[in-house]
Amino acid sequence: MVRDHRQATLADVARRAGVSTSTVSRAVRGVSTVSPEARSRVERAAQELSFALSRSASSLVTGKTGRVAVLTPGLPRAPWFLGTALTGLAEGLRDADLDLLAYVITDASERAAFFDRLPARRNADAVMVMSFILTEEERERLDELDVPLVFVSQHAPGRASVYIDDAAGARRGMRYLLNLGHRRIAHLQSAAVDSFVWSAYDRLVGYREALEEAGLPYDDALVVRAELNRPGIREAIGALLSEPQMPTAIFVEADDMAFEVMSVLRSCGIDVPGQISVLGFDDHPLAEMLDLSTVAQSAWHTGHTAAGLVSSILTDPDSDPARHIALPTHLIPRGSTAPPPADRLAEAAAEGPPPPGPTGDGA
């Protein structure tokens, strides 16, 4: 008889059920070779002994840890999107009875150490990569883990992924500005794009495609990068304001940065949107309060949907391991955007053909 002061073990259950420990092991794993009669005895014995298979013990029996690892960038003043998407992911995994094991990479040395040691090995049943640009060598290293690999907030051909079409969202936002009459539109990116954040590349692609669609030239001087802090954004805005001709609108990579852009412009005495319109991307919770026009996505839903995808891959052997889920974006016009001032329209008309007529905000 098992005393109350210690937890029952597989051996205790085996003795009570009159079977071997290997039979108990197969029964708790649901192996079909265990007879219904033996399975019933094991289940009855486990109930009588209040036997609970701990997660660590279960991993020894089933080879599963019940954990999902996520690799994500940890940037200075990390964008709202990452934190909100991680919250949705954690809640979705919890609903699926899975634990989240986060690996946050903040710089090149941490990145090199992670891929050298691969700490997720034997610690997780799947690995998720969130907004993280992998090199081919890094992807091969993750493949060595031999567990499902799911990409979050980026499209990965041949791999499971949950994402928005960032290029289409950027085209949608740019078309909106073009339809307002803007022709000289700047684009502000995060300086972290080179190492980490996947979405920035596709948003720049969408920016360029919209200009080409409108018959407007791409100007390197109008695409600037900024550190994710006020001094960095002030420096980037200074570069735009010192051009021979100021932009009439700025399409900003993310709302976090757009808030600072509006503040810096107004501190310089520039009216938003009277002189320069500002358009963001994400629909941060503060966007409505600060009256920021933006291309909206649901960060929480992205994370939660990714949790459902990885859960289905882990529980259903017939699930497509390379399934893609594309989530929608939509434009939210607010008070930070308006048609360019009349004098700027006259300047633009003197320089070339007028912007195209309304094209809608579709992708």
Side-chain angles (χ1 to χ4, degrees), residues 70-79 82-83 86 103-108 110-111 130-132 192 195-197 228:
V70 59
L71 178 64
T72 183
L75 305 175
R77 296 184 60 201
L82 289 175
L86 277 172
Y103 293 97
V104 181
I105 308 298
T106 59
D107 57 34
E110 286 186 4
R111 180 174 184 155
M130 180 178 290
S131 297
F132 202 102
S195 303
F196 292 104
V197 184
L228 295 178

Side-chain angles (χ1 to χ4, degrees), residues 3 37 68 75 82 96-97 108-109 212 218 246 250 258 265 278-279 283 298 310 351:
R3 305 295 182 187
E37 188 270 337
V68 172
L75 305 175
L82 289 175
D97 197 28
S109 62
E212 182 178 358
Y218 172 82
M246 289 195 315
I250 305 175
L265 288 173
V278 177
L279 176 70
D283 199 27
S298 174
V310 74
E351 290 184 357

